[in-house]
Amino acid sequence: MPLKVRAAVAYAAGKPLEVTDVALDGPRAGEVLVEIKATGICHTDEFTLSGADPEGLFPAILGHEGAGIVVEVGPDVSSVKKGDHVIPLYIPECRQCPSCLSRKTNLCTAIRTTQGQGVMPDGTSRFSIDGRKLHHYMGCSTFANFTVLPEIAVAKIRDDAPFDKVCYIGCGVTTGIGAVINTAKVERGAKAIVFGLGGIGLNVIQGLRLAGADMIIGVDLNPDKKAWGERFGMTHFVNPNEVGGDLVAHLVDMTKSGADQIGGADYTFECVGNVKLMRAALESCHRGWGQSIIIGVAGSGQEIATRPFQLVTGRVWRGTAFGGARGRSDVPKIVDWYMAGKIAIDPMITHTMPLAEINKAFDLMRDGKSIRSVVVY
Ligand code: NAD
Ligand code: AHE
Ligand code: ZN
């Protein structure tokens, strides 16, 4: 007998979510049923809902930034048990696939194909409404108060961590801090530029502060983001609308130092998903060694461009997914950092709401009025 669960269903691109009862089949071999207690709303959910995601499927239950409790385990599950507190992982960690074994990447490939098809690893969907199939999303579907996940796609976390805060570690916090620590490996004294000071960019800033960066320049079109960036360690703010001339020239000028007065940042981070800004981020890097990390996700058909000269002269373009974190290994540690007061989460959660009001979270994000909204079930 399927479980009746409450979910926000995305029926079509560009349409508000519809909150309704849906049917959920129980866990099969290697899977767990999780009661989701809270979920953040990330810009990637909006990206898919907008229709820009080439992998976007409808109807679907979106959401990938959750936290909850295991309520049932299927056959052959050994790493978690009923009652465990967990964070769903849109990048699983199987520890067996060639990518996991390579130790060179966090991009586990064990279930990526079926995940992209909006189904569980056995090729079926567990969600339906009136007998009609609903797609899973990013292997998580946290916009439902219960969901089914492969055991390799849950990180077991400590029991005393508040769900309504640590759900953010399921994407934004880990992505931002991980991009600094795991991907860029920023060193003390570095100069960095962060493009886009939203739910991800502010976490890049707090990661840069943790890493001991000296100069942290934040770039955002929204003037309210100056105060937000400063709360987490930003040292300078640039609003492109207030720069008289060329943004890149302005940033390079700000970062000039040393006898040769060659400007450019040691590290830049694009946290918007705008391909023109990605170019600006690369070209704001220091000649010879500057690294630009792409975090933002750009829509179908979008491409990046630059003069090859930018790379010939030693700038490096890199990307990162989930901050390079291996979820089952790294997420519990990030929860510990939060519980020990080493990283901030609470001030970035600007809005909480029940599932019935989830569309407000998307409006707040589009209007630049929130950093993170969290649905509490
Ligand atoms: P957000 O909406 O909270 O923040 C975006 C910020 O960018 C806002 O402050 C906005 O004012 C600013 N902005 C928009 N256009 C700008 C421009 N032209 N110049 C400067 N600033 C501009 O979004 P978010 O949740 O922080 O997500 C940011 C991006 O990161 C999205 O593309 C999202 O899909 C992506 N993302 C990627 C990963 C990953 O693993 N790579 C993980 C999470 C999110
Ligand atoms: N479907 C998109 C892919 C978007 C993308 O790159 N997603 C990131 C996570 S964003 C989290 O908010 C990711 O994990 N990428 C690795 C992967 O395997 O998808 C598109 O553009 O096609
Ligand atoms: Zn996300």
Side-chain angles (χ1 to χ4, degrees):
M1 188 60 184
L3 198 65
K4 188 168 93 170
V5 310
R6 202 75 187 144
V9 180
Y11 278 104
K15 297 268 187 279
L17 304 181
E18 289 185 30
V19 179
T20 182
D21 289 337
V22 308
L24 176 64
D25 290 332
R28 298 188 187 167
E31 298 174 0
V32 298
L33 175 68
V34 174
E35 179 177 5
I36 299 293
K37 294 291 197 180
T39 180
I41 290 91
C42 170
H43 206 114
T44 305
D45 298 305
E46 158 62 10
F47 162 78
T48 302
L49 184 59
S50 74
D53 182 353
E55 277 189 311
L57 294 165
F58 300 94
I61 298 175
L62 304 179
H64 62 282
E65 195 175 74
I69 303 178
V70 175
V71 290
E72 190 185 333
V73 300
D76 309 326
V77 168
S78 59
S79 58
V80 285
K81 59 182 187 313
K82 186 175 169 180
D84 281 350
H85 292 205
V86 293
I87 288 181
L89 301 171
Y90 58 85
I91 299 181
E93 182 186 350
C94 76
R95 300 173 176 158
Q96 286 173 358
C97 72
S99 291
C100 284
L101 292 175
S102 77
R103 305 304 297 158
K104 292 180 184 171
T105 178
N106 66 328
L107 294 172
C108 173
T109 53
I111 58 171
R112 182 62 181 86
T113 304
T114 47
Q115 189 170 307
Q117 293 162 347
V119 290
M120 294 296 287
D122 70 355
T124 67
S125 170
R126 299 306 144 67
F127 289 108
S128 60
I129 186 160
D130 301 327
R132 184 184 175 201
K133 165 181 160 174
L134 296 170
H135 290 99
H136 295 246
Y137 175 66
M138 289 176 72
C140 293
S141 291
T142 58
F143 294 166
N145 62 345
F146 288 84
T147 192
V148 173
L149 299 149
E151 75 171 307
I152 59 166
V154 295
K156 179 177 157 21
I157 59 163
R158 54 199 275 172
D159 290 355
D160 57 344
F163 294 115
D164 61 337
K165 305 295 188 304
V166 298
C167 59
Y168 196 5
I169 295 173
C171 185
V173 172
T174 305
T175 297
I177 294 177
V180 173
I181 292 173
N182 301 322
T183 308
K185 299 188 173 66
V186 171
E187 68 281 349
R188 293 192 75 75
K191 291 180 187 167
I193 309 174
V194 184
F195 294 80
L197 307 183
I200 307 302
L202 292 177
N203 278 292
V204 172
I205 287 181
Q206 75 163 325
L208 287 165
R209 181 164 64 179
L210 271 180
D214 264 359
M215 186 179 201
I216 306 175
I217 303 174
V219 179
D220 205 295
L221 295 169
N222 179 344
D224 297 347
K225 299 299 172 98
K226 179 174 187 289
W228 275 106
E230 285 168 351
R231 278 176 86 168
F232 301 104
M234 183 183 78
T235 58
H236 302 72
F237 179 70
V238 173
N239 184 337
N241 288 334
E242 290 167 10
V243 172
D246 178 56
L247 175 63
V248 171
H250 181 78
L251 293 167
V252 168
D253 201 48
M254 281 175 82
T255 48
K256 275 184 182 158
S257 64
D260 58 14
Q261 285 292 294
I262 293 179
D266 301 306
Y267 301 96
T268 67
F269 299 84
E270 202 281 352
C271 314
V272 177
N274 175 319
V275 292
K276 291 211 166 63
L277 213 54
M278 290 176 189
R279 178 176 191 155
L282 177 80
E283 296 179 1
S284 309
C285 281
H286 198 286
R287 174 189 168 89
W289 65 74
Q291 290 192 33
S292 186
I293 316 296
I294 293 181
I295 303 177
V297 166
S300 184
Q302 299 280 300
E303 294 184 347
I304 48 174
T306 191
R307 279 193 68 217
F309 173 76
Q310 294 289 336
L311 305 179
V312 166
T313 49
R315 294 174 191 83
V316 177
W317 230 339
R318 305 184 63 187
T320 182
F322 198 36
R326 294 180 174 86
R328 289 158 81 199
S329 303
D330 295 341
V331 161
K333 292 182 207 160
I334 298 176
V335 172
D336 287 343
W337 292 356
Y338 165 68
M339 296 300 282
K342 194 172 166 188
I343 57 169
I345 292 184
D346 300 21
M348 294 185 207
I349 297 177
T350 49
H351 300 79
T352 55
M353 60 202 64
L355 184 66
E357 291 170 25
I358 192 167
N359 287 304
K360 273 193 201 163
F362 284 85
D363 291 340
L364 287 162
M365 179 193 290
R366 291 182 202 114
D367 295 345
K369 293 195 173 132
S370 58
I371 300 300
R372 246 344 178 232
S373 293
V374 167
V375 161
V376 181
Y377 289 99

